[in-house]
Amino acid sequence: LESERRLTPPLIECVPNFSEGRDLARVDAIEQAIREVPGVLILHRTSDSDHNRSVITFAGRADAVVEAAVRATARAAELIDLNRHEGVHPRLGVLDVLPFVPLAGATLENCIELARRAGQRIWNELRIPVYFYQAAALRPDRTHLEDVRRGQFEGIREAVFANPEKRPDLGGPALHPTAGAVIVGARKFLIAYNINLRTTDVSIAKSIARKIRASSGGLPAVKALGLPLASRGLVQVSMNLTDFEQTPIHVVFSEVSRLAAEYGVEVEESELIGLMPRKALEMAAAGLLKLSNWDSQKVIENRLEALLGG
Amino acid sequence: LESERRLTPPLIECVPNFSEGRDLARVDAIEQAIREVPGVLILHRTSDSDHNRSVITFAGRADAVVEAAVRATARAAELIDLNRHEGVHPRLGVLDVLPFVPLAGATLENCIELARRAGQRIWNELRIPVYFYQAAALRPDRTHLEDVRRGQFEGIREAVFANPEKRPDLGGPALHPTAGAVIVGARKFLIAYNINLRTTDVSIAKSIARKIRASSGGLPAVKALGLPLASRGLVQVSMNLTDFEQTPIHVVFSEVSRLAAEYGVEVEESELIGLMPRKALEMAAAGLLKLSNWDSQKVIENRLEALLGG
């Protein structure tokens, strides 16, 4: 029955970033520590040798995901010494960043609570100090990961003594001598989503990207670039949607379609890079079909899960 | 753990129609027989006193659904005598029609197999003869429910002796003296779906309904009527989609939108009557977003279920 337990919502995704991307035997060992937790599934893994960094994406029920995150941190601390780590990507810890992400049946608030639990265990059991970032931040100046990590391992391990502002949220003030510190957080699912347009004029994609991106006053929680897809004779508006509940995928699709039409250009297709949460797809369908009184409990399987779950 | 077992796909819906719609204590007792099976959930129940008929919609895993269907038939046979049953709706059995419908992770082929198992148990254990219809039909002249039921209880119990063509697929030739016979089948999910148009001219809704309905050469597996919604100042194209995989909901939406636009009329909204399967909503989102290389395994929760289920 163990395998069936795992299916019950709420489900949580966890996306730890490790400071090892060259010695893949070590990455295997960290992955194995995650795999050993019943009820956890590895969804994706990627390593970059220039960054000397790996990302393992896994998911499962809350308790199992927290357990796997702590075990992964312990294994990384056994295997990696930050004093010997080189790579072009900044890092503060052997397990550098540990975000918890809500999937079906879970909320961002659930993930903040899980971040706290994982952080507390990492300090209590492993004596590795913890910083909380993004939705789990305890201080507004720690919302952005880049701000927390500025100075990285070599700079911050000195700064914590001179500057109380730089000290960890849990533990410290000294960083762990070989493992550094873990930056634990909660955030929404990030959807990588592209829309391809039936034109070869990349200036149109760039102009649309500029109009829709949040940083230039466009749609909230949308990052966008215009790119050529020369081999296909198309151009692409390439996007990251950092909060699909605030700006749903169909709002992005409709807005890009509308702006393209102003240039007399049609949408050829859209594409998803990687995975998307079920809720994002449901919101898109309900939005584009103009379904009145939409409620995800109108999906029969969701209703079954709600009646049976919990 | 029992409650968690129930969530694992494949999931099956079962929609038995009973020949009792007046004595609600009897309908309660039949519902209770279904409820007593672990892993089965009642989704909906409706009774009509003119038809003297009730429909109970329930769902769960395959084995549980078959068990509940057999128990419901047994309870109906204990409580109802067709010789004393009157109502405007034709019927052949106390449990008159027993369709199995695929939900997440299940196929129509799975449901044909379940119909056979349920039918075999109904004859073996309850000695009530069985006819198979629609996708579970053993003979082409039994595909349509109306053809199987023509003559209903009073006519068919005589006809089986004179006309071998009318005999049950399992058991008989005589029908059960009080319970008649059960018509067991497999079919796809029926989606009741309406699109409301921003006009008061019902002739536009009627014209669109005529163009899209399958019976007049429109979209396959679509039944459609045009109706006024006088109190709202709108008109409605009211539809049944009998095979959302053949004609997906977004194809219907796009076609009705396009035809309405030819009359200079806009779609106000669409509405779902009752529930819809998850797959129908996923197909709609993928279709309307023009997602290339769509695959339901791009939904993270579907991927988790596929990796963990089975």
Side-chain angles (χ1 to χ4, degrees):
Chain A
L1 287 174
E2 193 55 56
S3 70
E4 292 172 328
R5 280 200 64 151
R6 297 172 202 167
L7 280 176
T8 320
L11 294 170
I12 307 290
E13 188 189 59
C14 188
V15 194
N17 291 228
F18 300 91
S19 296
E20 179 59 76
R22 293 173 189 167
D23 182 347
L24 297 184
R26 286 182 180 171
V27 184
D28 287 344
I30 295 166
E31 180 182 330
Q32 187 55 30
I34 295 168
R35 254 183 220 291
E36 281 167 7
V37 177
V40 158
L41 266 176
I42 308 276
L43 292 171
H44 191 251
R45 170 179 148 180
T46 175
S47 295
D48 184 292
S49 70
D50 293 326
H51 288 184
N52 197 6
R53 189 176 179 87
S54 298
V55 179
I56 299 178
T57 304
F58 65 92
R61 297 191 71 186
D63 291 348
V65 166
V66 169
E67 178 65 27
V70 174
R71 290 196 201 180
T73 309
R75 188 68 57 92
E78 285 164 29
L79 297 173
I80 308 169
D81 179 351
L82 224 44
N83 300 286
R84 297 162 185 240
H85 178 272
E86 290 185 340
V88 297
H89 197 290
R91 76 286 180 272
L92 177 56
V94 291
L95 194 145
D96 191 49
V97 189
L98 184 63
F100 292 86
V101 178
L103 296 178
T107 63
L108 190 61
E109 288 64 39
N110 298 147
C111 288
I112 294 171
E113 195 265 324
L114 297 178
R116 299 262 187 276
R117 273 164 56 192
Q120 197 69 57
R121 286 190 57 190
I122 288 167
W123 169 243
N124 290 354
E125 299 172 22
L126 309 176
R127 308 316 279 181
I128 304 173
V130 168
Y131 294 80
F132 291 111
Y133 84 112
Q134 210 147 331
L138 293 169
R139 297 162 30 173
D141 59 325
R142 292 192 175 166
T143 300
H144 297 292
L145 179 60
E146 314 87 82
D147 295 334
V148 179
R149 199 163 49 195
R150 189 164 297 118
Q152 56 173 317
F153 177 60
E154 290 76 4
I156 294 173
R157 69 174 163 184
E158 308 296 332
V160 290
F161 298 108
N163 181 0
E165 286 294 298
K166 296 296 281 183
R167 290 183 182 166
D169 290 308
L170 288 178
L175 301 192
H176 187 286
T178 57
V182 184
I183 308 172
V184 183
R187 61 165 172 79
K188 297 207 177 179
F189 196 97
L190 186 152
I191 299 175
Y193 179 61
N194 301 328
I195 299 178
N196 298 338
L197 306 179
R198 219 172 281 165
T199 176
T200 53
D201 182 354
V202 73
S203 74
I204 294 174
K206 286 179 188 294
S207 161
I208 292 173
R210 199 161 42 240
K211 285 176 181 160
I212 64 161
R213 71 169 71 107
S215 63
S216 54
L219 298 168
V222 172
K223 299 177 182 178
L225 287 174
L227 304 169
L229 293 182
S231 67
R232 299 190 57 197
L234 302 171
V235 300
Q236 178 172 88
V237 183
S238 177
M239 292 166 285
N240 278 337
L241 314 183
T242 59
D243 185 344
F244 69 84
E245 291 172 292
Q246 191 178 11
T247 300
I249 197 165
H250 68 279
V251 170
V252 171
F253 179 83
S254 297
E255 186 62 7
V256 171
S257 300
R258 189 185 67 77
L259 291 168
E262 287 183 2
Y263 292 99
V265 168
E266 290 190 349
V267 170
E268 169 72 16
E269 64 189 8
S270 74
E271 60 184 31
L272 197 60
I273 308 302
L275 304 176
M276 84 194 296
R278 180 174 284 158
K279 184 171 186 182
L281 202 70
E282 290 182 356
M283 289 176 76
L288 292 169
L289 291 171
K290 299 184 181 182
L291 279 174
S292 60
N293 300 321
W294 170 248
D295 170 353
S296 75
Q297 293 299 300
K298 293 196 174 181
V299 174
I300 192 164
E301 290 90 349
N302 292 353
R303 193 174 173 79
L304 283 170
E305 287 181 358
L307 287 166
L308 291 164
Chain B
L1 287 174
E2 191 55 56
S3 70
E4 292 172 328
R5 281 200 63 150
R6 299 171 199 168
L7 282 176
T8 320
L11 294 170
I12 307 291
E13 187 190 58
C14 187
V15 195
N17 291 226
F18 300 91
S19 297
E20 179 60 75
R22 293 173 189 168
D23 182 347
L24 298 184
R26 286 183 181 171
V27 183
D28 288 343
I30 294 167
E31 180 183 329
Q32 187 55 32
I34 294 168
R35 255 183 218 292
E36 281 167 7
V37 177
V40 157
L41 266 177
I42 308 276
L43 293 170
H44 191 251
R45 169 180 149 180
T46 176
S47 295
D48 185 290
S49 70
D50 293 325
H51 288 186
N52 198 5
R53 189 175 178 88
S54 298
V55 179
I56 298 178
T57 304
F58 65 93
R61 298 191 71 185
D63 291 347
V65 166
V66 169
E67 177 65 26
V70 174
R71 290 196 200 181
T73 308
R75 188 68 58 91
E78 284 163 30
L79 297 173
I80 309 169
D81 178 351
L82 223 46
N83 301 285
R84 296 162 185 238
H85 177 272
E86 290 185 337
V88 297
H89 196 290
R91 76 284 179 272
L92 178 57
V94 291
L95 195 146
D96 191 49
V97 189
L98 183 63
F100 292 86
V101 178
L103 297 178
T107 63
L108 190 60
E109 289 64 40
N110 297 147
C111 288
I112 294 170
E113 195 266 324
L114 297 178
R116 299 263 188 275
R117 273 164 57 191
Q120 196 69 55
R121 287 189 57 189
I122 288 167
W123 169 242
N124 290 354
E125 300 172 22
L126 309 175
R127 308 315 280 181
I128 304 173
V130 168
Y131 294 80
F132 291 111
Y133 83 111
Q134 211 148 331
L138 293 169
R139 297 163 28 173
D141 59 326
R142 292 191 175 166
T143 299
H144 296 292
L145 178 61
E146 316 87 79
D147 295 334
V148 179
R149 198 162 51 195
R150 188 166 297 118
Q152 56 172 317
F153 177 61
E154 290 76 4
I156 295 172
R157 70 174 163 185
E158 309 296 331
V160 290
F161 298 107
N163 181 0
E165 284 294 298
K166 297 294 283 181
R167 290 183 183 167
D169 290 308
L170 288 179
L175 301 193
H176 187 286
T178 58
V182 183
I183 309 173
V184 183
R187 62 165 172 80
K188 297 206 178 181
F189 197 97
L190 185 151
I191 298 175
Y193 179 62
N194 301 328
I195 299 177
N196 298 338
L197 305 180
R198 218 173 281 164
T199 176
T200 53
D201 183 353
V202 72
S203 74
I204 294 174
K206 287 179 187 293
S207 162
I208 292 172
R210 198 161 45 239
K211 284 175 182 161
I212 63 161
R213 72 170 68 108
S215 64
S216 54
L219 298 168
V222 172
K223 299 177 183 180
L225 287 173
L227 304 169
L229 293 183
S231 68
R232 298 190 57 196
L234 301 171
V235 299
Q236 179 172 88
V237 182
S238 177
M239 293 166 284
N240 278 337
L241 313 183
T242 58
D243 185 345
F244 68 84
E245 291 171 292
Q246 190 178 13
T247 300
I249 196 165
H250 67 279
V251 170
V252 171
F253 179 82
S254 296
E255 185 63 7
V256 170
S257 300
R258 189 185 68 77
L259 291 168
E262 287 183 2
Y263 291 100
V265 169
E266 289 189 348
V267 170
E268 168 72 16
E269 63 188 9
S270 75
E271 60 183 31
L272 197 61
I273 307 304
L275 304 176
M276 84 193 297
R278 181 174 284 159
K279 185 171 186 181
L281 202 70
E282 290 182 356
M283 289 176 75
L288 291 169
L289 291 171
K290 300 185 181 180
L291 279 174
S292 60
N293 301 320
W294 170 249
D295 171 353
S296 76
Q297 293 298 300
K298 293 196 174 181
V299 175
I300 191 164
E301 290 89 350
N302 291 353
R303 192 173 174 80
L304 283 170
E305 286 180 359
L307 288 166
L308 291 163

